[in-house]
């Protein structure tokens, strides 16, 4: 199933766009009421200098600057979507794509997302500014995205390269993980569970 989805997404993009549109409509119908709980949930993670929130249209410029300021090496294992203004604005306005950001001193220092599907599954990704790594932001994103998934009542999954040791360790520090299957190119499909 994973290979089929990736093939459609990258080789037949117009079909992927139609599927994405349909998924978003059904997701809104199934989970729209629970989505209203997310701002208050995210606000509970705010303490100290790092502030977490859902991304909004007003964050597009700052997000674009955040992505463009990261070194090329930061994207070796992180390529979930395009990072230009048009792509980011489209994703922000898609209810089945939940974007969260971390800010300090009024600048974006971290980003996490859940790409959600109407069948009750979601896939997570996260990236932290290289200058702010080691401050617990990725770990907080791990807990935050887990709580979002639990609040919505959906499963939380991810794909991680076995070469991306820091991401694997970060995932283990914030969640219990279960390897579901081996994927091509040294990737693994995992499912996240709340830390016991």
């Amino acid at each position: 199933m994973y290979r089929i989805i990736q093939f459609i997404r990258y080789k037949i993009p117009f079909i992927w766009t139609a599927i994405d549109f349909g998924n978003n409509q059904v997701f809104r119908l199934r989970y729209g009421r629970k989505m209203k709980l997310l701002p208050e949930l995210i606000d509970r993670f705010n303490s100290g200098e790092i502030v977490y929130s859902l991304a909004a249209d007003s964050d597009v410029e700052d997000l674009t600057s955040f992505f463009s300021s990261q070194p090329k090496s930061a994207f070796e294992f992180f390529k979930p979507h395009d990072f230009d203004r048009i792509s980011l604005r489209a994703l922000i306005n898609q209810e089945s794509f939940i974007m969260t950001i971390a800010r300090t001193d009024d600048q974006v220092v971290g980003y996490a997302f859940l790409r959600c599907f109407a069948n009750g599954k979601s896939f997570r990704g996260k990236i932290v500014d290289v200058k702010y790594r080691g401050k617990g932001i990725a770990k907080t994103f791990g807990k935050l995205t887990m709580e979002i998934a639990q609040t919505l009542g959906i499963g939380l999954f991810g794909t991680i390269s076995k070469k991306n040791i820091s991401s694997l360790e970060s995932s283990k520090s914030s969640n219990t993980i279960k390897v579901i299957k081996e994927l091509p190119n040294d990737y693994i499909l995992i499912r996240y569970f709340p830390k016991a």
Side-chain angles (χ1 to χ4, degrees), residues 21-120:
F21 176 80
N23 174 70
N24 194 59
Q25 301 307 308
V26 178
F27 184 84
R28 180 187 294 128
L29 290 172
R30 287 193 70 186
Y31 300 100
R33 190 172 296 162
K34 291 181 179 179
M35 291 283 289
K36 295 175 183 175
L37 303 172
L38 299 189
E40 186 178 333
L41 180 157
I42 294 168
D43 194 51
R44 294 200 309 263
F45 284 82
N46 291 330
S47 63
E49 63 176 292
I50 308 295
V51 177
Y52 298 87
S53 66
L54 287 172
D57 276 336
S58 57
D59 297 309
V60 169
E61 292 301 321
D62 289 343
L63 269 169
T64 305
S65 296
F66 165 73
F67 288 121
S68 65
S69 69
Q70 301 309 303
K72 189 176 179 181
S73 60
F75 301 99
E76 181 180 1
F77 302 110
F78 187 79
K79 303 168 192 168
H81 52 72
D82 292 328
F83 303 115
D84 60 278
R85 290 174 181 82
I86 293 171
S87 299
L88 291 170
R89 185 167 280 112
L91 290 171
I92 284 172
N93 290 299
Q94 192 173 337
E95 287 186 62
S96 60
F97 199 95
I98 302 168
M99 300 169 73
T100 56
I101 56 175
R103 283 182 176 275
T104 187
D105 296 328
D106 206 34
Q107 67 175 347
V108 175
V109 295
Y111 165 78
F113 71 86
L114 281 82
R115 183 182 288 276
C116 305
F117 295 91
N119 66 354

